[in-house]
Amino acid sequence: MSKKSKTRFKEDNTHKNVFDDLSNYDTSKIANKWGDSRINESNKKWENMTKEEQKAVLQECSDIFVGLSDYIGTDSQQKEVTELMIRWHNFIRNFYEPSLEVLRCLGLMYVYDPDFSTKFEEMDPDLPDFLGKAVNSYVDALEEKWLEQQCNVLEE
């Protein structure tokens, strides 16, 4: 995708919800990896949202990924990317409380699972790889904070 067409995509989709339909999403891969309870929890939370809440959640998802696409080619550890990753983590919490392992696996899915990577490549061909790096950087930082907390507990 040329720089001009990337710019056009971002202009056309800055406020457009690029994730406006979850009805065709196949959850079987997630169920196989993490079990039906996670899918059931997610589905229950989704079904308990009003249509307006669902629309807002999907818009937030779109805004996060379109926003992250602005930083492709930059350091995935910079402040603005980290802020978007915090928003991403909170977005996931709309459905379930993800462990660090789940977050890291989502990063891998964004890169290697065609159900995800194809959608992100539509936004920018380099977005899946950047997302993988951004997720890893974010989870690495969370793991480091967790380890520091554990060390502080041991020192007390």
Side-chain angles (χ1 to χ4, degrees):
M1 185 179 283
S2 70
K3 184 167 179 94
K4 185 176 179 181
S5 48
K6 284 183 186 180
T7 302
R8 183 173 172 90
F9 174 85
K10 289 175 188 166
E11 288 171 0
D12 292 345
N13 292 292
T14 300
H15 297 290
K16 179 183 174 193
N17 187 344
V18 295
F19 296 98
D20 58 357
D21 184 16
L22 293 180
S23 62
N24 294 327
Y25 183 69
D26 179 13
T27 58
S28 63
K29 290 179 186 177
I30 295 172
N32 288 338
K33 177 95 174 142
W34 304 105
D36 287 330
S37 64
R38 178 119 339 151
I39 297 297
N40 293 338
E41 178 183 356
S42 296
N43 289 341
K44 184 176 181 181
K45 285 186 174 186
W46 181 254
E47 291 164 5
N48 284 328
M49 292 180 198
T50 65
K51 293 291 181 198
E52 292 79 24
E53 290 169 328
Q54 290 175 352
K55 184 177 178 183
V57 165
L58 291 176
Q59 185 63 55
E60 173 67 352
C61 178
S62 180
D63 292 348
I64 291 165
F65 290 115
V66 170
L68 284 165
S69 71
D70 288 337
Y71 295 96
I72 292 170
T74 67
D75 182 2
S76 62
Q77 296 178 6
Q78 68 180 301
K79 179 184 173 191
E80 295 84 0
V81 174
T82 301
E83 289 170 355
L84 285 163
M85 294 311 300
I86 291 167
R87 285 176 61 189
W88 168 75
H89 191 170
N90 288 325
F91 162 76
I92 301 298
R93 287 181 170 135
N94 284 296
F95 303 97
Y96 57 87
E97 183 60 43
S99 66
L100 297 180
E101 178 185 20
V102 167
L103 293 175
R104 195 167 308 273
C105 285
L106 282 170
L108 290 171
M109 289 173 66
Y110 293 166
V111 176
Y112 298 110
D113 184 328
D115 291 339
F116 288 98
S117 61
T118 302
K119 182 68 172 178
F120 294 130
E121 286 170 350
E122 290 173 9
M123 298 168 74
D124 187 297
D126 297 323
L127 185 56
D129 288 333
F130 182 74
L131 288 173
K133 290 175 188 171
V135 170
N136 274 333
S137 295
Y138 178 70
V139 175
D140 286 348
L142 292 177
E143 285 177 340
E144 187 174 317
K145 285 181 183 179
W146 181 83
L147 287 170
E148 287 173 3
Q149 291 171 344
Q150 299 311 304
C151 287
N152 290 338
V153 167
L154 290 174
E155 290 174 355
E156 291 177 355

